[in-house]
Amino acid sequence: MWTKVRHLNHSQKQRITNNLFVAVAGGAVLTVAGPTLLPCPAYDQNDRSAFLEEKKKQAANKRVVIVKKKTKKQQQIEEEKEE
């Protein structure tokens, strides 16, 4: 069945190796650059701006309470007053 196997000469091996390298390198570059070149169709720019605007409105409506933590010295003074 496999009586006549054709072996590749040096130039053919080199050409196959170079083609494979270029294909893998090109695929890697496209994989990394793809999201930058092609925006995600599931997240339209108008939807994004509307989402960010809604988030800003929600942040503006929230009331923020800042609680200052007492130092150890202040805690000691309060404990002495309670005694």
Side-chain angles (χ1 to χ4, degrees):
M1 185 170 153
W2 292 94
T3 56
K4 292 186 178 184
V5 176
R6 184 174 170 210
H7 296 286
L8 300 174
N9 61 27
H10 179 68
S11 64
Q12 290 172 330
K13 289 178 187 177
Q14 192 174 12
R15 191 177 325 127
I16 289 173
T17 304
N18 287 339
N19 288 340
L20 184 61
F21 177 80
V22 168
V24 170
V29 169
L30 290 176
T31 300
V32 173
T36 304
L37 300 174
L38 302 170
C40 179
Y43 207 59
D44 189 14
Q45 186 64 26
N46 294 333
D47 293 339
R48 180 177 170 82
S49 60
F51 172 74
L52 293 175
E53 188 176 322
E54 183 66 27
K55 195 171 182 180
K56 284 181 185 177
K57 285 181 184 177
Q58 289 176 355
N61 293 337
K62 287 186 179 179
R63 185 176 175 183
V64 178
V65 178
I66 300 174
V67 179
K68 186 177 177 183
K69 186 175 178 180
K70 295 179 182 177
T71 62
K72 289 183 181 181
K73 190 171 185 177
Q74 289 174 333
Q75 289 176 353
Q76 289 174 351
I77 292 171
E78 284 187 4
E79 288 174 1
E80 290 174 2
K81 287 182 182 178
E82 289 177 0
E83 293 176 357

